[in-house]
Amino acid sequence: MSRDLFAPIVTDEQAHHLFQRVRTGAPHAAARRLMNEVFADFHDVDKSFVREFQTGGFSARVFELALFAYLREQGLIPDRSHAAPDFAVLGDTPVAIEVTTTNPAQGSEPDDLEYAPLLHDDLPEADKAFVFQLGKALRRKLTHRDASGRAYWEKEHIRDVPFVIAVGAFHNQNAQMHVVGTVAEYLYGQRDVFTYDTTGKLTITADRVERHESGGKSIPSGLFQMPEAKNLAGVLFSNAHTMGMFNRIGAESGYGPDGVAICRVGTAYNPDANASEPRPFAYVVGDRPPGEQETFAEGLHLFINPWANRKLSPQALPGIPFANFTHGRLVTMVPNSFQPFTSKTFVVEHPQAQQIARYQQLLFLRKLPSEGAER
């Protein structure tokens, strides 16, 4: 018997507003079909996934399902026979993954991502506040203990397996505009500084970051080097694994209905060795050739902790960029030429949806110097 994530099992009053928005209607039809296909192979060990997906855990469960889709896409079959951590991939290059998200503060605006503006009113301050959200999410998992007093990495079935925390950004309407550089600064306690010499050649130097400050609060930088993180082998970060990703990949798979078009705009890795800024991109979903279509690996970034007790091999989580701190420098390896940093999805429902989407594509590229992107 097939399982339908979108068949309500809770009342309208209990249902999350984003679940209510996407469970019916043509704009999200592709996402619904693809998510149900992925969920068909997903073992819900504690039988709570659907209820959480339909209520307050909507965004976190979307992120978890997208990570499962990534693992399956890479031919990795996680052990889902235990409730925690969320994924245990065993074999020659094992890794255990616990999933978490940055979440809205209690009483704040809900994580309504669909109608968020392109840019935060105060981007530098938003980045500073994001570090606190990231630190809180990571420490929540590092300090967690089960009923027997065991941490995630102390559980018998993953003993001696490198432990990774996967973090998705969902704490406010602009959460997914934060780029991986901010995450790296907090984890490694180092910031890259880009300058050009008189010939126009790019020079990169490193500045030590001692603390992060926001809203009158201060926390130390360099989480990976702290004693509390000695069992944290790495952090897997995403600002892209949302309902929009399922919608785009589903549409590229032919699941989108007539009269609906999707335009994706954003910024991506710039392969120019002399570039200090990402490059813009914009495309209408369905235009990319089969070999270049979106995968669930896009938008994932792995940060390896070189000071961890159990070392993590980058081959444990293949197909994604990974960063490591070697010889006093932060080095990032990018496996593919197209690696998005931030993006936003526009879904158009109209008899001339394709024409409108192409107009949005051109409009974004023309206005990019004065606008940014998120999600």
Side-chain angles (χ1 to χ4, degrees):
M1 180 178 178
S2 62
R3 301 178 295 173
D4 185 358
L5 280 168
F6 298 90
I9 63 170
V10 299
T11 66
D12 288 346
E13 290 74 21
Q14 295 171 318
H16 194 276
H17 69 285
L18 292 181
F19 169 74
Q20 292 281 52
R21 179 177 298 162
V22 304
R23 75 181 184 87
T24 60
H28 300 96
R32 292 194 299 271
R33 179 173 169 182
L34 180 58
M35 291 188 75
N36 274 329
E37 284 188 2
V38 174
F39 188 62
D41 294 331
F42 183 91
H43 177 54
D44 183 11
V45 60
D46 57 9
K47 310 301 180 185
S48 63
F49 188 94
V50 177
R51 177 171 292 276
E52 292 175 2
F53 173 80
Q54 296 187 7
T55 54
F58 176 83
S59 295
R61 299 290 76 78
V62 170
F63 179 48
E64 184 178 350
L65 194 65
L67 286 181
F68 175 73
Y70 155 73
L71 294 173
R72 189 179 69 164
E73 186 179 77
Q74 297 295 323
L76 303 174
I77 309 301
D79 178 1
R80 291 276 300 169
S81 59
H82 298 81
D86 293 303
F87 302 113
V89 181
L90 307 179
D92 294 338
T93 52
V95 61
I97 307 170
E98 177 64 15
V99 181
T100 190
T101 56
T102 62
N103 302 316
Q106 191 170 14
S108 66
E109 289 296 314
D111 53 342
D112 188 345
L113 305 172
E114 188 168 354
Y115 299 106
L118 282 173
L119 279 179
H120 196 282
D121 290 339
D122 188 346
L123 183 56
E125 184 55 41
D127 282 339
K128 293 177 182 178
F130 166 62
V131 171
F132 282 72
Q133 293 286 345
L134 176 67
K136 183 166 64 175
L138 292 172
R139 284 187 168 86
R140 186 168 60 236
K141 293 299 183 180
L142 290 174
T143 59
H144 173 81
R145 299 295 184 268
D146 64 15
S148 301
R150 295 174 302 177
Y152 289 106
W153 53 86
E154 293 174 330
K155 296 181 184 297
E156 196 63 37
H157 69 290
I158 60 162
R159 190 174 295 276
D160 298 324
V161 172
F163 174 69
V164 169
I165 300 177
V167 185
F170 292 94
H171 54 276
N172 61 30
Q173 292 183 333
N174 298 101
Q176 285 145 348
M177 66 190 285
H178 300 293
V179 295
V180 295
T182 307
V183 182
E185 287 182 17
Y186 172 65
L187 295 177
Y188 296 102
Q190 180 174 294
R191 177 184 298 115
D192 283 339
V193 178
F194 301 91
T195 57
Y196 289 90
D197 63 20
T198 56
T199 67
K201 182 179 179 181
L202 175 67
T203 301
I204 303 175
T205 57
D207 275 0
R208 174 67 187 165
V209 180
E210 298 292 344
R211 303 193 67 81
H212 298 274
E213 298 180 356
S214 177
K217 299 179 180 179
S218 176
I219 58 172
S221 191
L223 176 66
F224 277 161
Q225 300 182 60
M226 297 179 188
E228 64 192 278
K230 64 183 180 180
N231 294 296
L232 179 61
V235 168
L236 184 64
F237 174 73
S238 170
N239 59 3
H241 287 64
T242 66
M243 181 64 66
M245 172 175 274
F246 279 101
N247 220 19
R248 296 189 303 267
I249 295 178
E252 286 187 325
S253 300
Y255 298 166
D258 293 337
V260 173
I262 302 174
C263 177
R264 186 187 186 195
V265 304
T267 59
Y269 166 71
N270 193 334
D272 183 350
N274 209 43
S276 60
E277 297 291 335
R279 64 181 178 89
F281 74 87
Y283 65 88
V284 175
V285 172
D287 283 356
R288 297 169 73 180
E292 298 178 13
Q293 290 184 349
E294 186 174 6
T295 68
F296 284 100
E298 283 187 17
L300 285 172
H301 299 266
L302 177 62
F303 300 90
I304 295 174
N305 182 0
W307 301 282
N309 288 345
R310 300 179 184 89
K311 304 305 182 196
L312 174 69
S313 167
Q315 283 72 43
L317 295 169
I320 62 176
F322 66 91
N324 204 348
F325 199 75
T326 58
H327 305 294
R329 287 299 308 274
L330 182 61
V331 178
T332 301
M333 301 298 293
V334 180
N336 302 303
S337 59
F338 181 70
Q339 292 293 339
F341 291 152
T342 59
S343 72
K344 182 175 178 64
T345 302
F346 298 94
V347 183
V348 182
E349 183 180 15
H350 191 274
Q352 283 80 46
Q354 287 290 328
Q355 294 93 316
I356 297 172
R358 295 192 192 287
Y359 174 76
Q360 289 179 324
Q361 175 189 10
L362 295 174
L363 187 64
F364 174 80
L365 292 175
R366 289 173 182 171
K367 290 191 173 184
L368 189 66
S370 61
E371 293 186 6
E374 50 85 19
R375 200 170 50 195

